[in-house]
Amino acid sequence: MQSETQSKESISFEDFKTQVLEDYKIAVTSRECSLLGRREVLTGKAKFGIFGDGKEIPQLAMAKVFKNGDFRSGYYRDQTFMMAIGELNIEQFFAGLYGNTNIEDEPMSAGRQMGGHFATHSLEVDGSWKNLMQQKNSSADISPTAGQMPRLLGLAQASKIYRNVEGIDAEKFSDNGNEIAWGTIGNASTSEGHFWETINAAGVLQVPMVMSVWDDEYGISVHAKHQTTKENISEILKGFQRDEEKKGYEIIVVNGWNYVALVEAYDRASKIARTTHSPVLIHVNELTQPQGHSTSGSHERYKDEDRLAWEREFDCNVKFKEWILENNFSTEEELDSIDKDIKKQVRDGKKAAWTAYSQPVKDKFSDLLPFLENAASHSENKDAIESLIKELSEIKDPLKKDLLVVARKSLRYMIGLENTAKSDLIEWIETYTSTSQPEYSSHLYSDSANNALSIQEVEATYDEDAKDVDARIILRDNFDKIFANKPETLIFGEDSGAIGDVNQGLEGLQEKYGELRVADVGIREATILGQGLGMAMRGLRPIAEIQYLDYILYALQIMSDDLATLQYRTKGKQKAPLIVRTRGHRLEGIWHSGSPMGALVHLLRGIHILVPRNMTKAAGFYNTLLEADEPALVVECLNGYRLKEKLPNNFGEFRTPLGVVETIKEGKDITLVSYGSTLRLVEEAAKELELVGINAEVIDVQSLLPFDLNKDIVKSVAKTNRLLVIDEDVPGGASAYIMQEILENQNAYIHLDSKPQTLAAKEHRPAYGTDGDYFSKPSTEDIYEKVYEIMNEANPSKFPKLR
């Protein structure tokens, strides 16, 4: 079904005619899939449908200039494009609609996303990179509107890096940076901040990005007059138009029903972006949406009859057919015959996809039935179980859920029995659950041999006369070694370049390694994250720097919806081993000292969250992560850059392991658990507690995701029988997460003689100034008094009330 093109001038009329008719077949196939797909939702076979009808012809034009090595970053209207590049067929389209969990049947997401979300496979079975230059590539879609834009920027920037940075092994990823990143978005979604941030950043960076805006005048029911100034995105972007004096965008406006103009527009855009690395915006207007936004409603509710009549007349497929007939590429009879044949192909493909989806469950029902019948015959509640069997048998197309519901409910009628029928049914349930659950849960993190947990610890080593230096020097010298040995690495962020970051951890490195590898960027956290995400998807090893932890909130949507879910939503077929570097804790003021760790832990499952207590540990994390193939967030201690640490002699080599806690101080009376900057206060309090006979054990968590994989904290609690978690997040934040891990997952509750407690910050953000910090977050005195209070309750005679 792939659409290959040559210009009309370079081939014969017959060959050009063949190409035109092949495009027509793809357009009709895509439209029939949309029409039949809607029916499948309305009849209940599929849960939801959102389709690409009305956008077929511009997508065919885009596909004609989309080459091997190029990347798409689009959204849920692009089915025609995916069909045209040969990466989506009829059965796969319907497999996505049904949510088939077989990656062979549904290669886009193995049923983890609703239909219309497209991806290609960048990874081999073992998680290593495929040769992306030998295939056409689509980054995995997400649903949030404009969420694909920041990633698009990074996919395009990768070409610039590959073209201009020497020494990178680019064989699988680039041909001298000649690849284009192609983006698509609906006109209404251009109202989102991610669109504007990306458009501005791409113009500044001058990267090979072609952005297509599919404009059908509506965003669901809301007309463009409520969406866009002047109701016209290209009109208000005219100031971005490049000229002879200043770089910017090439802006192209074209009608979405005009096949010839579209082919010419995309050919022109491709040549500009591929050769000059100038970004291009193509405003494809006068498009339609024949079935409305989605299966959730009808567009007849908000479009008047004049608009509906216009849409029928200017439907791009209708106009394409008219053009074919006017230019004698075919006859009405021939096209009618094609239409009829394609309708049958789509119906047959739908049936085959449904069979592939539903038959395995029916087979499992046949497998389950003897176990249920045997259970019924060996139960005093035979009638109840047989009633469940009857209910299940009457379901025409049962789901996996239906089988397990009946099997598990049947067990309730066998409580107190011990017989083979019951044990056989239990075994069936456990086997089916254990094989089915991974279809919905696997690949949150990497399963490859290079996953972060497989990277072994290498301790920092020191000369005998190792000197104490400002901790920032350790970071700087370690980054220096990384950049010298790994040409594919680069770092970028606000103030990261010329001044070497706000804390001098990159001092002098831009001058040494150039402005592309150690780069300043504008104040735009979402696209800083997107730059890193896109480049990591193309084989580079970026480190995206978010200046302060509080500013992560600007990038959080991309981190949570895109980066954290990438391996999961592609079932391990794409990866982006991006490192996000930031700093936080213990500064001053509401927006420079927040510690939203609980929020991050819950929103960023799929990303490792690392909280080193000093810069040697932080540098070790960077070294570990650059050997691994997973994304991570590293939070450096903001007040630790000028503290003294010993200078290691094995920069670039020592590695801090993930998920391993460290006992900083041995003790026998109580276990104190913390991380980051707060840990220094805990250590200080522990020393003061020694003076009154309280011997506290102090444990540094080091990483929140993953958490204490060796379950060392419970070993400490088994010794001390008491637990206090100290955190500068708000109450119920990271401290609640840590407590659950220790009490529930490690079962530490069985060792406790006192109530486990947490000591967190106040519910508000930290107030400004040193006093603001003291009254907003746990102080040494708070820690001391909380520990003393716990010990007073345990032994009031030895530890009389403090006050």
Side-chain angles (χ1 to χ4, degrees):
M1 199 181 280
Q2 188 164 338
S3 176
E4 297 288 349
T5 63
Q6 296 169 273
S7 68
K8 185 177 178 182
E9 294 75 15
S10 66
I11 58 174
S12 69
F13 176 82
E14 287 301 318
D15 287 340
F16 185 65
K17 171 184 172 181
T18 299
Q19 288 184 5
V20 168
L21 292 181
E22 284 302 310
D23 282 350
Y24 179 78
K25 291 175 184 176
I26 295 171
V28 173
T29 299
S30 180
R31 179 64 62 87
E32 285 300 315
C33 284
S34 295
L35 295 172
L36 194 52
R38 182 180 179 86
R39 257 177 277 166
E40 291 298 277
V41 175
L42 297 180
T43 58
K45 282 187 175 179
K47 296 287 285 186
F48 181 79
I50 192 159
F51 306 111
D53 47 305
K55 316 295 188 293
E56 291 91 348
I57 307 307
Q59 291 181 30
L60 288 169
M62 185 169 79
K64 289 178 180 297
V65 287
F66 192 88
K67 299 186 181 224
N68 284 355
D70 285 359
F71 259 89
R72 165 191 168 273
S73 182
Y75 77 128
Y76 41 73
R77 303 288 184 200
D78 293 347
Q79 70 198 46
T80 309
F81 172 81
M82 295 299 291
M83 289 177 172
I85 65 170
E87 292 295 336
L88 179 70
N89 61 35
I90 295 168
E91 290 185 31
Q92 290 167 345
F93 172 89
F94 285 101
L97 197 62
Y98 301 140
N100 192 323
T101 57
N102 186 330
I103 193 74
E104 302 301 323
D105 294 331
E106 204 282 271
M108 303 302 149
S109 75
R112 296 182 177 192
Q113 297 208 88
M114 65 184 180
H117 291 71
F118 306 113
T120 52
H121 295 182
S122 299
L123 306 180
E124 303 286 4
V125 175
D126 64 359
S128 62
W129 290 106
K130 297 176 74 173
N131 190 327
L132 304 185
M133 294 303 298
Q134 295 178 356
Q135 63 182 47
K136 294 176 171 64
N137 303 286
S138 173
S139 59
D141 293 342
I142 57 175
S143 290
T145 54
Q148 72 274 28
M149 293 294 294
R151 178 203 327 139
L152 172 67
L153 177 66
L155 291 169
Q157 188 181 3
S159 291
K160 183 171 185 175
I161 298 299
Y162 281 122
R163 180 173 287 185
N164 294 286
V165 175
E166 296 181 356
I168 303 175
D169 180 4
E171 181 181 0
K172 293 183 177 181
F173 306 107
S174 182
D175 175 21
N176 195 37
N178 291 325
E179 305 76 33
I180 295 174
W182 301 82
T184 64
I185 195 170
N187 57 295
S189 293
T190 63
S191 302
E192 292 279 8
H194 287 338
F195 173 84
W196 290 96
E197 192 170 315
T198 301
I199 289 293
N200 181 55
V204 171
L205 291 171
Q206 288 293 290
V207 291
M209 179 183 99
V210 178
M211 184 68 239
S212 296
V213 179
W214 309 142
D215 190 347
D216 56 28
E217 287 195 21
Y218 286 85
I220 309 183
S221 67
V222 180
H223 190 267
K225 66 185 178 183
H226 302 295
Q227 307 275 4
T228 310
T229 303
K230 299 184 178 181
E231 301 180 31
N232 190 315
I233 191 64
S234 57
E235 179 69 20
I236 60 176
L237 286 173
K238 279 184 176 178
F240 284 77
Q241 175 66 50
R242 63 182 188 151
D243 54 38
E244 293 181 0
E245 294 183 1
K246 293 188 177 181
K247 295 178 179 179
Y249 275 76
E250 186 65 25
I251 299 176
I252 301 170
V253 181
V254 61
N255 288 334
W257 46 264
N258 190 327
Y259 178 78
V260 174
L262 285 161
V263 171
E264 290 174 349
Y266 276 92
D267 183 63
R268 179 182 165 208
S270 173
K271 288 173 181 174
I272 291 170
R274 216 176 285 282
T275 56
T276 69
H277 275 195
S278 295
V280 181
L281 181 124
I282 305 179
H283 182 190
V284 184
N285 57 22
E286 295 197 8
L287 285 169
T288 67
Q289 203 151 276
Q291 298 187 110
H293 174 74
S294 70
T295 54
S296 292
S298 169
H299 64 153
E300 284 84 3
R301 292 183 300 163
Y302 52 86
K303 294 176 183 174
D304 61 28
E305 186 50 44
D306 287 343
R307 174 67 192 188
L308 292 170
W310 181 90
E311 290 199 6
R312 288 190 290 271
E313 180 182 355
F314 282 87
D315 183 303
C316 63
N317 281 16
V318 171
K319 285 293 185 183
F320 188 30
K321 186 173 184 178
E322 290 175 359
W323 178 81
I324 290 172
L325 294 172
E326 289 169 1
N327 287 274
N328 298 314
F329 289 116
S330 188
T331 65
E332 189 94 43
E333 293 76 17
E334 288 171 338
L335 294 184
D336 287 346
S337 177
I338 290 172
D339 292 350
K340 184 178 179 181
D341 181 57
I342 287 173
K343 283 178 185 289
K344 183 178 185 305
Q345 289 179 35
V346 174
R347 284 197 305 270
D348 291 346
K350 182 214 54 141
K351 290 177 183 176
W354 180 252
T355 299
Y357 168 71
S358 61
Q359 192 59 47
V361 184
K362 292 178 180 178
D363 293 342
K364 277 295 177 184
F365 172 58
S366 298
D367 178 46
L368 169 62
L369 188 56
F371 292 97
L372 293 174
E373 291 173 340
N374 193 32
S377 65
H378 287 81
S379 171
E380 296 176 356
N381 298 290
K382 179 179 180 181
D383 291 345
I385 297 177
E386 286 182 341
S387 177
L388 289 171
I389 295 172
K390 184 175 182 294
E391 288 177 16
L392 183 57
S393 301
E394 289 173 351
I395 300 175
K396 181 182 177 183
D397 294 301
L399 303 173
K400 297 172 189 174
K401 166 198 164 189
D402 297 323
L403 305 188
L404 283 168
V405 166
V406 167
R408 294 168 72 180
K409 281 186 175 181
S410 295
L411 275 183
R412 299 176 189 175
Y413 296 107
M414 304 184 78
I415 292 174
L417 299 179
E418 294 297 332
N419 55 45
T420 304
K422 180 179 179 181
S423 59
D424 287 348
L425 182 57
I426 291 172
E427 183 179 354
W428 189 95
I429 292 169
E430 291 177 349
T431 300
Y432 192 45
T433 301
S434 66
T435 56
S436 297
Q437 186 66 53
E439 294 176 346
Y440 305 93
S441 304
S442 69
H443 292 91
L444 181 59
Y445 297 94
S446 172
D447 285 350
S448 81
N450 292 323
N451 71 78
L453 303 186
S454 69
I455 308 302
Q456 298 299 307
E457 179 179 13
V458 176
E459 294 186 356
T461 57
Y462 301 88
D463 295 331
E464 287 187 13
D465 58 348
K467 58 183 179 180
D468 291 332
V469 297
D470 286 350
R472 71 169 186 91
I473 300 296
I474 293 171
L475 280 175
R476 183 199 65 187
D477 290 357
N478 195 69
F479 280 131
D480 188 10
K481 184 66 71 171
I482 286 170
F483 295 143
N485 294 336
K486 298 179 184 293
E488 68 277 12
T489 58
L490 61 156
I491 192 166
F492 47 92
E494 297 160 17
D495 299 304
S496 299
I499 68 168
D501 88 38
V502 290
N503 296 101
Q504 299 286 278
L506 300 169
E507 180 189 23
L509 298 186
Q510 184 182 80
E511 183 178 356
K512 189 171 183 178
Y513 296 104
E515 294 184 4
L516 286 176
R517 293 190 64 198
V518 183
D520 285 312
V521 299
I523 300 176
R524 46 175 180 79
E525 284 79 10
T527 45
I528 290 173
L529 201 289
Q531 284 177 248
L533 173 54
M535 285 192 282
M537 293 185 77
R538 290 190 58 193
L540 295 170
R541 294 308 311 263
I543 302 171
E545 182 169 320
I546 304 297
Q547 194 168 77
Y548 295 113
L549 180 61
D550 305 76
Y551 303 168
I552 285 281
L553 300 181
Y554 286 95
L556 191 55
Q557 188 266 322
I558 299 299
M559 292 181 73
S560 180
D561 290 334
D562 201 346
L563 181 61
T565 67
L566 181 60
Q567 289 239 13
Y568 170 76
R569 73 179 189 270
T570 62
K571 203 173 183 180
K573 297 303 180 183
Q574 291 188 1
K575 64 182 176 183
L578 168 64
I579 300 171
V580 182
R581 179 193 183 207
T582 191
R583 50 193 66 83
H585 317 308
R586 297 288 176 179
L587 190 56
E588 293 170 350
I590 294 175
W591 287 288
H592 289 83
S593 57
S595 298
M597 301 310 301
L600 298 180
V601 162
H602 295 300
L603 290 170
L604 300 183
R605 300 297 169 98
I607 299 175
H608 296 305
I609 298 181
L610 312 177
V611 283
R613 70 179 181 274
N614 60 38
M615 302 310 159
T616 303
K617 292 291 183 179
F621 276 135
Y622 292 121
N623 295 338
T624 297
L625 293 168
L626 287 169
E627 296 298 316
D629 64 356
E630 296 180 275
L633 169 66
V634 181
V635 184
E636 299 167 8
C637 292
L638 187 51
N639 57 3
Y641 295 102
R642 302 293 173 181
L643 298 180
K644 299 299 182 183
E645 295 182 35
K646 285 204 175 295
L647 190 70
N649 60 17
N650 58 337
F651 285 115
E653 298 174 10
F654 59 88
R655 300 170 187 163
T656 309
L658 276 64
V660 178
V661 304
E662 185 172 346
T663 300
I664 306 302
K665 176 185 175 297
E666 298 279 352
K668 60 181 178 61
D669 293 326
I670 188 170
T671 299
L672 307 182
V673 177
S674 190
Y675 61 88
S677 295
T678 303
L679 196 70
R680 298 192 197 102
L681 304 184
V682 175
E683 289 185 89
E684 184 179 339
K687 290 178 183 176
E688 295 175 1
L689 287 163
E690 290 275 9
L691 300 176
V692 293
I694 299 174
N695 187 3
E697 185 145 297
V698 178
I699 295 179
D700 179 11
V701 166
Q702 296 202 103
S703 73
L704 290 169
L705 291 176
F707 183 86
D708 190 11
L709 297 175
N710 298 326
K711 298 188 175 181
D712 288 325
I713 296 178
V714 70
K715 299 169 190 173
S716 172
V717 175
K719 176 174 58 173
T720 67
N721 309 120
R722 294 175 187 86
L723 172 65
L724 176 64
V725 176
I726 304 100
D727 182 27
E728 62 174 50
D729 198 356
V730 297
S735 58
Y737 161 76
I738 292 171
M739 187 69 83
Q740 183 199 24
E741 286 286 331
I742 298 170
L743 296 185
E744 187 173 326
N745 294 342
Q746 297 188 8
N747 292 322
Y749 71 92
I750 63 176
H751 302 294
L752 291 171
D753 292 337
S754 299
K755 180 179 75 172
Q757 297 191 49
T758 63
L759 178 61
K762 304 302 183 193
E763 294 187 2
H764 54 74
R765 294 279 188 95
Y768 175 66
T770 301
D771 282 342
D773 175 82
Y774 185 84
F775 286 99
S776 301
K777 292 184 175 182
S779 65
T780 301
E781 289 70 41
D782 292 329
I783 299 166
Y784 181 101
E785 290 173 10
K786 173 65 78 170
V787 173
Y788 191 91
E789 177 187 308
I790 294 170
M791 298 306 296
N792 162 256
E793 180 186 41
N795 191 343
S797 61
K798 184 175 181 181
F799 303 107
K801 272 195 173 184
L802 189 62
R803 54 177 172 167

